Amino acid sequence: MGGSGGGGVPAADGVEVGLGAYASPVMTLYPGDVIATGTPAGVGPLGHGDRVVVEIERVGRLEVGVDASRAVPYTTRPGRRRA
């Protein structure tokens, strides 16, 4: 991410044992399904101009740019719950 190589965790190392067993009672899982689990430790927030690259061997590569030019700070978002 952002050229830092953030994440870079092989899927076999990043998948929590039992995650499929946890998810399968509430949804049907098929071979090739992807379970997105969030970011690994040490990955910081994305910012304007960053690029996110996701590559899955034998499937393909997806590269997306971050455009935060119209972003609204979290603390001022409409509908945000107050503590």
Side-chain angles (χ1 to χ4, degrees), residues 1-10 40-44 51-53:
M1 288 178 262
S4 69
V9 177
V43 175
R51 298 199 69 71
V52 178
V53 179

Side-chain angles (χ1 to χ4, degrees), residues 10-72:
D13 295 340
V15 175
E16 185 175 324
V17 175
L19 188 57
Y22 177 80
S24 62
V26 295
M27 66 183 72
T28 302
L29 297 173
Y30 297 99
D33 281 353
V34 174
I35 301 174
T37 60
T39 56
V43 175
L46 296 172
H48 183 74
D50 282 344
R51 298 199 69 71
V52 178
V53 179
V54 178
E55 187 168 359
I56 301 175
E57 190 176 311
R58 297 190 317 262
V59 173
R61 174 184 170 106
L62 173 67
E63 188 168 340
V64 179
V66 176
D67 179 359
S69 61
R70 297 185 301 158
V72 176

